[in-house]
Amino acid sequence: MIKAVIFFLLVMVAIGMVGNAFFPGSVGRLVRKKLGLPGPTTCKACGRYIIGSKGCDCKKGG
């Protein structure tokens, strides 16, 4: 019984690794698209990611 459970878990890990190799990050994109979440906010001037609400350090944009 224990051998069957371990074998099942190993098969599931192998399937997950193969799926991740062929479609990397696709699950996250599908969930984000379905929920309507926006992508990361970037500065319009320099292109850096904006973290927090203070804006960019370049003081030119966003």
Side-chain angles (χ1 to χ4, degrees), residues 2-3 10-11 14 24 30 34-35 38 41 48 53-54 60:
I2 302 268
K3 289 181 184 180
L10 289 174
V11 168
L30 290 174
K34 183 168 272 203
L35 293 177
T41 306
R48 285 195 249 171
S53 60
K54 298 207 182 220
K60 293 178 186 173

Side-chain angles (χ1 to χ4, degrees), residues 7-59:
F7 179 73
F8 174 76
L9 291 175
L10 289 174
V11 168
M12 293 304 291
V13 167
I15 290 172
M17 290 174 69
V18 168
N20 198 22
F22 283 113
F23 307 106
S26 63
V27 173
R29 283 193 302 267
L30 290 174
V31 170
R32 193 177 318 125
K33 188 182 292 185
K34 183 168 272 203
L35 293 177
L37 298 175
T41 306
T42 56
C43 177
K44 293 179 182 100
C46 66
R48 285 195 249 171
Y49 293 111
I50 296 176
I51 300 173
S53 60
K54 298 207 182 220
C56 186
D57 292 336
C58 73
K59 307 291 185 212

